[in-house]
Amino acid sequence: MTAALGNTAQGTPFATGVDAYVYPQFIGYALRAPTTQDIYNPGTRWQNNAVSPAVQYYTIGAGTWYELPNTSYGVTSVTGTTNQITASPTVGAVVLSLAGPYTPATYTAHGVLVGEGTGSIVATATGSSGQFLVSNGASADPTFQTATPQLIVTTVAGTSQAMSSGHVYIANAAGQTTFTLPATSSVGDIIRVIGSSLNTGGFKITYTTGQIIWGPAGSSTVTTGAATSAAAAAQAVQIVCTIANTTWVIVDNSGTITLS
């Protein structure tokens, strides 16, 4: 039978009435990617030299082109990194996922990771037990710092009390209550003495040799004994250490406080 040749590149039958299409099995290369008119030749390869590196394509059936994996052209597989990124599968449609925990050896153990804008993430220095992470403003990294403790409230039922820094003492005895300054103190230490309504005899603050209390009217003049006193109920005074161990200043008071 004599048949008229058709357009084999487009998959046209060789003769009228013949159901089968004939596809030539040849490798053709073009300096471009395949187009919609190139999809009718199964097994045909095309090489696109317009990109770098060049990419080869092939088709296994009418309608679909596939990129041809080759070590000389593009990426053939993707491999994950330990404790950082996983890749599954390693060829084809690869999905990348973050893996953890990420434990680089360059970060300070037990520090807190801090962003540095466009720079690398850093870790803060470690703090001590009980410290808090405190902001140092918009232009500085936060740091661990010791929080200023709240004053400890101590009620005093008797008529004498040795004092410690960082305390509020409330005198409840009817008789005059004697409070003694601590021998050791740091700059900024605070002590408050408050006489309740029960403390009708008031209170006095004494100290040891070399200590002194300053107030609005000057300072105490004796080196030992009653430096500051209140002679009635419901009086109060707050003093702050300004020179370690020796000097205190009255920063607040209620009622009549007398410096001796």
Side-chain angles (χ1 to χ4, degrees):
M1 177 180 66
T2 301
L5 292 176
N7 183 354
T8 58
Q10 298 299 320
T12 305
F14 270 72
T16 303
V18 177
D19 294 331
Y21 289 80
V22 177
Y23 297 91
Q25 301 300 310
F26 66 90
I27 297 178
Y29 290 97
L31 301 182
R32 59 175 174 80
T35 69
T36 56
Q37 298 302 312
D38 301 323
I39 65 176
Y40 298 102
N41 296 309
T44 300
R45 296 183 181 183
W46 291 77
Q47 179 167 306
N48 181 14
N49 286 345
V51 296
S52 180
V55 178
Q56 287 190 355
Y57 301 87
Y58 71 100
T59 181
I60 58 174
T64 305
W65 281 94
Y66 298 91
E67 184 175 338
L68 182 66
N70 189 291
T71 56
S72 300
Y73 306 101
V75 177
T76 58
S77 65
V78 178
T79 303
T81 55
T82 303
N83 290 333
Q84 296 180 45
I85 298 175
T86 59
S88 180
T90 58
V91 295
V94 179
V95 177
L96 299 179
S97 303
L98 292 176
Y102 181 42
T103 54
T106 55
Y107 289 158
T108 302
H110 311 301
V112 175
L113 297 183
V114 178
E116 295 293 325
T118 57
S120 300
I121 293 174
V122 299
T124 66
T126 56
S128 301
S129 178
Q131 287 188 316
F132 295 86
L133 190 64
V134 179
S135 171
N136 291 311
S139 59
D141 289 341
T143 54
F144 283 99
Q145 299 179 23
T146 301
T148 301
Q150 299 293 320
L151 297 179
I152 300 171
V153 177
T154 301
T155 57
V156 181
T159 56
S160 65
Q161 176 68 48
M163 296 192 295
S164 297
S165 297
H167 282 67
V168 176
Y169 294 97
I170 300 177
N172 287 325
Q176 188 179 58
T177 303
T178 300
F179 293 92
T180 305
L181 284 179
T184 302
S185 60
S186 301
V187 173
D189 284 358
I190 297 173
I191 295 176
R192 292 178 187 168
V193 178
I194 302 172
S196 73
S197 59
L198 301 175
N199 183 225
T200 54
F203 59 83
K204 62 181 179 180
I205 299 175
T206 65
Y207 46 53
T208 58
T209 301
Q211 292 182 313
I212 191 171
I213 297 177
W214 286 80
S219 66
S220 56
T221 57
V222 297
T223 58
T224 58
T228 303
S229 62
Q235 310 292 294
V237 65
Q238 176 172 288
I239 56 177
V240 175
C241 178
T242 57
I243 299 177
N245 305 326
T246 64
T247 305
W248 295 77
V249 174
I250 297 174
V251 296
D252 190 19
N253 71 278
S254 174
T256 302
I257 304 297
T258 302
L259 292 173
S260 300

